[in-house]
Amino acid sequence: MRKPLIAGNWKMNGTRANAGALARAIHDGAPFADVEVAVLPPFVHLPDVVAICEGGDVRVGAQNVADQASGAYTGEVSAAMLAEFGCRYALVGHSERRTHYGESDELVAKRFAAALAGGLVPILCVGETLAEREAGETESVIARQLAAVVEVAGDDAFADAVVAYEPVWAIGTGHTATPEQAQAVHAFVRQRVAQLDADHGERLRILYGGSMKAANAAALVAMEDVDGGLIGGASLVPDDFLSICRTAG
Ligand code: PGA
C-alpha cells in the first residue's frame, strides 16, 4: 500500500515569523493517521522550520535544488546542503520554474538526478498547459517530461522519488482538475514508470496539485492512482492545510 503524502508548497510567501507560526501550527496538528505530511518553505526559512518540526511527524523539503553537487554555481543550493539541514524532499520542475525561469526538461532532469545523488527524495512536477490539453497533447507532454528524467537519471530514476501531476491551468486558478481527469493522467504516469520497472510503478506515489483544497481533496485522493497532493495556496492557511491532511489519511 502506498502511504499518501500531502506536501505544502509555500512558494515565495511569508516572513520569518509567519513561517515559524505556520510550521508550529502544522507540527502541533500532528500526528496524522496514515498520511505523511511535508512542508516546503523558502530556502531561508528552512533552518527555523526544521528546528520546529524536529522529532515530530512533519517532514521538510525545499522548493528547488541545484543540478550540480558543488562549486561555482552562484545562487544555487545543493542537495547535500539541504540534506545537512534536515530536508527530505526537493521539488524539481515546478511549472513556475519551467515558465518564469526557463528551466528545460533537461535541466529539470539534472536537478532530479542531483537530488537523488545528494540524499534527497525528488518530487518531480509534470503537467500540461491549457493549450496543450485542448490540443490533445496531455499524454505526450507528460511522457516527454518523464522521459527526460529517465534519460539523465536512468531506468531506476523512480525507485525512490515522487511525481506530482500539476496541470498548469489548475495552479492557483481555482480550476481544479476533476477526479476523473486527474486519475486518467496519474494512471498514465504509473503505466510509464511501470514499463521501466513494475515494482517502481506500483510503489510510486503520484500527487495531484492545482487548486487542491479541503473541499475537493477527498474526491481527488479517493481515486486509485492519486496518492496525495501538492498544495500551494491552501497550504498557507493552517486550518485548511490540516483539514486536507486529515482528509487524506
Ligand atoms: P495551488 O498551487 O494549490 O495554489 O494551485 C499548487 C502548486 O503550485 O504546487
Side-chain angles (χ1 to χ4, degrees):
M1 263 310 279
R2 299 180 292 268
K3 188 174 190 176
L5 170 64
I6 298 291
N9 174 13
W10 295 0
K11 308 195 181 184
M12 195 176 71
N13 290 296
T15 60
R16 186 177 184 180
N18 292 149
L22 186 51
R24 168 79 47 206
I26 296 162
H27 170 81
D28 290 350
F32 306 98
D34 303 321
V35 60
E36 185 182 348
V37 172
V39 293
L40 314 170
F43 286 127
V44 291
H45 296 153
L46 282 170
D48 287 357
V49 172
V50 166
I52 290 165
C53 295
E54 195 133 44
D57 253 26
V58 178
R59 310 269 200 175
V60 182
Q63 296 173 19
N64 201 5
V65 58
D67 62 319
Q68 304 288 334
S70 69
Y73 300 99
T74 302
E76 293 288 312
V77 178
S78 77
M81 291 170 182
L82 294 169
E84 187 186 9
F85 269 81
C87 283
R88 174 166 177 79
Y89 293 104
L91 285 186
V92 297
H94 191 281
S95 74
E96 287 151 17
R97 301 289 323 166
R98 295 179 189 263
T99 306
H100 303 316
Y101 302 96
E103 293 198 9
S104 65
D105 289 337
E106 193 195 351
L107 175 57
V108 169
K110 287 184 178 162
R111 293 191 188 279
F112 181 103
L116 284 176
L120 301 177
V121 177
I123 303 176
L124 172 71
C125 300
V126 297
E128 80 289 359
T129 63
L130 185 59
E132 288 164 342
R133 172 163 283 266
E134 286 173 351
E137 292 167 4
T138 300
E139 290 193 353
S140 63
V141 168
I142 308 279
R144 190 198 74 222
Q145 292 170 335
L146 293 173
V149 166
V150 175
E151 175 84 24
V152 173
D155 285 358
D156 286 335
F158 296 102
D160 195 15
V162 175
V163 171
Y165 168 53
E166 296 209 308
V168 178
W169 46 271
I171 297 176
T173 58
H175 299 300
T176 318
T178 65
E180 293 72 24
Q181 284 173 322
Q183 169 58 27
V185 178
H186 285 226
F188 176 75
V189 170
R190 192 175 310 288
Q191 175 229 317
R192 298 299 281 205
V193 172
Q195 281 171 1
L196 300 166
D197 184 302
D199 182 48
H200 297 171
E202 182 55 35
R203 284 193 289 120
L204 181 71
R205 288 187 294 183
I206 308 173
L207 316 184
Y208 169 79
S211 300
M212 188 160 168
K213 32 189 181 270
N216 57 33
L220 285 159
V221 298
M223 303 310 282
E224 188 181 342
D225 291 297
V226 179
D227 309 309
L230 181 57
I231 323 297
S235 75
L236 299 172
V237 183
D239 285 350
D240 291 359
F241 187 68
L242 289 169
S243 151
I244 296 171
C245 296
R246 290 189 191 108
T247 300

